[in-house]
Structure formats: structure tokens, C-alpha cells
Amino acid sequence: MSAQEQPVPASLSALALALRDRAMAAENLAALMFSIANDPYPLLRFRQAVVLVPKPGSAEVPCVSGLATPKEQTPYLGWLKRATRWLDTTLEGPAPRIVLRESVDPPPEIAEGWAQWWPAVLWCVPLHSRDGERLAIVVFLLDQPPPKAVREQMLGLASTWAYCWQAMTPKRRTAWRMPAGRLAWLVIIAIAAAMFIPVRQSALAPAQIISRESMAVTSPLDGVVAEMLVRPNQTVAADTPLFRLDTTSLESRAEVLRQQLAVAEAELDAAGSLAFDDPASLAEITRLRGQRDQRRAELKGVETELERALVLAPSAGVAVYRDEDDWQGRPVTTGERILQLADPEQPKMEIQLAVADAISLEPGGEVTLFLTAYPLTPIHGRIEDTSYQAQPDDNGIAAYRLEASIEDQAEHARLGLHGTAKVYGEEVSLGYYLMRRPISALRAWTGW
């Protein structure tokens, strides 16, 4: 044996047996890898030992001799992962192999790192399972090839390492895999079949509770609202004063007409006294009598308007309007709606279905109302009436007005409450349900 050869221990078999015992005594895979990377040093006198785990498309470096835990951010470990993939394709079979730098032609990036970090001699020991799967590659960095006796002992030691590695690795169940092409076709067929599943067509729309029996109270004449005599949502009886219009101008006009009527009556009395002496004054009496009757009729009309300035409730109900300050001092015209008298005992739904969300609806269709104030207690009903013409709603969006009954005697169905109604139409296929709006938008854009 030359001076450059590594010394072979006298008790080589005993040392190899001790290494096997340590591998068998490892409690887990991490302990086994630490033993593989560090315990063979008395046998090989290596510079470094690394445990490499090749994986499809990637690699791991779980253990390096002399290190407790390799840090992945180092350039050396990053290069080791690339070298692992190259070694995995270079090494064939389960037998250990000595790789010399001058005998292989690695890629430039591998050769550059080899020249920087690795010596000229690598002893690569693959670990394979019983079914031939490569578990890991143990690479010993040496200054010269190991003796023949050490190589012979390594065969049995590598078998022990592979056996322990496989025993400590959780068994993976081989999943049944379908060919990718066939799986893609099955997915396409399943999606196409699902498009024919029947579903209920539905749409969401804002809604509120209104009264089935309601009456609009309007202004009886042109004027200014002087005072609202009832509060919003106040319950009133029949003939209860609701509001009063300003009567200042009417009272002034009535006073002028009273003075004019008094003058006309005085002139008529004077003309009647002269008629006994002057028969020609009979024509003047006729004219003055007509003027008096005109003033009397005008005064009666103004007094009637004064009586109408105080608006009374035509029936019992709830006065529905927003705020008193919205009306007091506001000019109004004849027929302009001031408030509504609604019967709270007969509620119904008013739904504003936007044109973009419109679906085919018929009277009798189901409706579910989710009130904002009571989201956990929906109200059910059925459509009673639908408008044929869309009108702008409160937000300026063109919408169809729907009216629906309230089937449940819900105590929380109070007038004025708002929420979201879900209206149900006829059954359609799932494909039509999902593609209805995209198709409508496409036709609107393309004109097709």
C-alpha cells in the first residue's frame, strides 16, 4: 500500500457492523440521515458527506456532515440542489460509484461549483428501496478513491441504510391515476351534462312593505302648506285634521269681497228707493242686482276655499310621509300628493325589479322577502301584479313594479320597512341560468 492510499482499519468488519447498528438504532429519519452523514468518518476520512434526496423537478439537501440543520439561503446549498438533479440522471443502478472530475463532463454551472466546493473524487452511494425506487444519494467528498476493502463493506452498509430509510418513510398509497387526456374529456362531459340540470330561475330586487288599502291625500288648491297637523306614521281616525294650507291671501280676498258686496247691496237699495219716482231706473236696478249676486257668489267661493284649506282624513289609517319639515312652508299645487293614509292591517310587498335583472314572471310566482331589520325571518308571498312598462325608480334605474301578497301573518311586516326580495320564475337549465346575462350583454354589444 502506497503512502497516498487511505489507511484501512484492522477491525474494518467490526466498524462496518457498528455503523449498521447505529443506523438500526436511529429513532427517526432525521437521526438516520445524521448517522449516514457523520458516522462513516472513521471509515472513510472524507472531507464532507452530504445526503441528497432527488425529487421530480426538484431536490432536497436534508443533511450535511458537521451541520445540525442546513440553511437553504446559502449559495452552496442552492448549488447542491442543482448538482443533485445532475447526479440523479448520471448515476445508473443501485451500485455505489466513484466519480472523478476528469472522467465526466458536467454542465458548466455544475463544473464551476465543483471546482469551487468539491474535491476531485466523489464516492456516490445510491440508496434504493426494494421495488427499485431511488430514496437518496449519499455523496462522500474524498481526496482519493477508497480502498477495495472499504468499497466492499459499503455495499452491505448501503443496504442497511436503504432498509432503515424505507422503514422510517411513511408508506404512500399508490393512487389510481387516470390518463390526463381521458380525465380532461370526462371533466368536459361532466360539465356539459351539468349544464342541463334544471334549476329555478330567480332574481333579486329591492322591495318594501306597503299597504294594500291606501289612499293618497292631495292638496285641494294652490297654496302653501302652513302646518302639518299629524306626525309621520301616526294613526288617525276619520275626519282628523291632517294639514292646513296658508289662508292669508284667501282671507284678504274674502274681506275685499265682503266690502264689495256691502257696497253693491247699498247701491241696490238706493236704486230701489228711486224707482218709485223714476220708472227709467228699473234697468239700473237689474244691473245692480246682477252685480250684487256676482259679489255674493265670489264671496261664497272664497269661503268654500277657506273651508277646504283645512284637510281632514277621509278614513282611518296611518299617515305615511317622511318628515314634517319637508312640507311646512312648501308651495303646492292642486292635486299634489302630500301624504298617504294606509291600513297597517293589510300589508303587501312592492318590488322594483331592474330591467337588467328581469326574468319571465307570471302572477302566482313565489316571492321571498328578506327585510333589513329582520334578516333571519323571511316573509313569503306570491306575485299579484306586474307592470308592463318600466319606470325609473328612486335611484333613477329603469325597473318594473311588482306587487306581491304576504301569505304569512308576520308581525314584523310593518309599513315602510325595506329589504331584498327574491322572485322565482320558471325552471330552466343550469346552462341558460348561468349564460343568460352574458348572452344578453353580448347581443347588446354586437347587435347579433
Side-chain angles (χ1 to χ4, degrees), residues 267-290:
E267 291 178 349
L268 181 59
D269 291 340
S273 301
L274 296 175
F276 293 101
D277 300 330
D278 187 5
S281 61
L282 292 176
E284 183 66 15
I285 292 175
T286 302
R287 183 185 67 81
L288 292 174
R289 186 180 290 115

Side-chain angles (χ1 to χ4, degrees), residues 220-222 243-258 298-312:
L221 46 90
D222 296 344
F243 61 91
R244 180 176 58 82
L245 298 177
D246 183 68
T247 59
T248 303
S249 60
L250 289 176
E251 290 176 352
S252 298
R253 185 180 173 190
E255 184 62 29
V256 171
L257 289 174
R258 291 191 187 97
E298 290 176 356
L299 178 60
K300 185 177 181 180
V302 172
E303 290 176 346
T304 302
E305 290 184 354
L306 285 172
E307 294 176 357
R308 295 170 58 192
L310 181 63
V311 180
L312 306 179

Side-chain angles (χ1 to χ4, degrees), residues 103-373:
S103 64
V104 294
D105 185 19
E109 61 175 352
I110 303 299
E112 181 181 355
W114 192 341
Q116 181 179 359
W117 287 304
W118 279 359
V121 180
L122 304 179
W123 191 15
C124 302
V125 183
L127 304 182
H128 286 249
S129 64
R130 287 188 294 271
D131 56 2
E133 179 185 1
R134 179 166 290 178
L135 303 174
I137 302 174
V138 184
V139 180
F140 298 100
L141 310 183
L142 306 173
D143 292 325
Q144 57 185 359
K148 181 179 180 180
V150 175
R151 295 198 297 268
E152 291 176 353
Q153 291 294 330
M154 182 56 69
L155 293 175
L157 185 58
S159 299
T160 302
W161 287 344
Y163 174 80
C164 295
W165 191 298
Q166 185 176 7
M168 295 178 183
T169 303
K171 294 183 179 180
R172 294 177 296 176
R173 296 183 178 179
T174 304
W176 178 81
R177 294 184 179 180
M178 182 179 294
R182 183 178 300 177
L183 179 61
W185 278 109
L186 285 179
V187 171
I188 293 174
I189 292 173
I191 293 176
M195 293 297 102
F196 292 95
I197 297 176
V199 295
R200 289 285 301 277
Q201 198 172 10
S202 62
L204 298 176
Q208 66 172 334
I209 300 295
I210 63 174
S211 175
R212 186 180 298 276
E213 296 293 334
S214 61
M215 179 183 300
V217 179
T218 62
S219 174
L221 46 90
D222 296 344
V224 175
V225 178
E227 184 181 5
M228 298 297 296
L229 302 177
V230 294
R231 299 184 306 276
N233 302 325
Q234 177 182 338
T235 301
V236 298
D239 296 330
T240 299
L242 300 178
F243 61 91
R244 180 176 58 82
L245 298 177
D246 183 68
T247 59
T248 303
S249 60
L250 289 176
E251 290 176 352
S252 298
R253 185 180 173 190
E255 184 62 29
V256 171
L257 289 174
R258 291 191 187 97
Q259 296 296 331
Q260 292 178 351
L261 178 59
V263 172
E265 289 179 346
E267 291 178 349
L268 181 59
D269 291 340
S273 301
L274 296 175
F276 293 101
D277 300 330
D278 187 5
S281 61
L282 292 176
E284 183 66 15
I285 292 175
T286 302
R287 183 185 67 81
L288 292 174
R289 186 180 290 115
Q291 186 176 358
R292 182 201 61 182
D293 294 341
Q294 180 182 355
R295 296 291 183 268
R296 186 176 293 170
E298 290 176 356
L299 178 60
K300 185 177 181 180
V302 172
E303 290 176 346
T304 302
E305 290 184 354
L306 285 172
E307 294 176 357
R308 295 170 58 192
L310 181 63
V311 180
L312 306 179
S315 61
V318 174
V320 180
Y321 70 100
R322 195 177 68 174
D323 189 18
E324 298 179 16
D325 293 336
D326 291 344
W327 291 104
Q328 290 187 164
R330 174 177 169 178
V332 293
T333 58
T334 303
E336 183 175 354
R337 188 175 70 176
I338 308 297
L339 53 83
Q340 276 189 323
L341 282 179
D343 186 356
E345 302 299 328
Q346 301 186 46
K348 67 176 180 179
M349 307 179 201
E350 182 185 46
I351 306 167
Q352 299 290 340
L353 181 61
V355 172
D357 298 327
I359 59 177
S360 178
L361 296 173
E362 297 293 339
E366 296 181 17
V367 179
T368 302
L369 174 60
F370 300 90
L371 293 173
T372 305

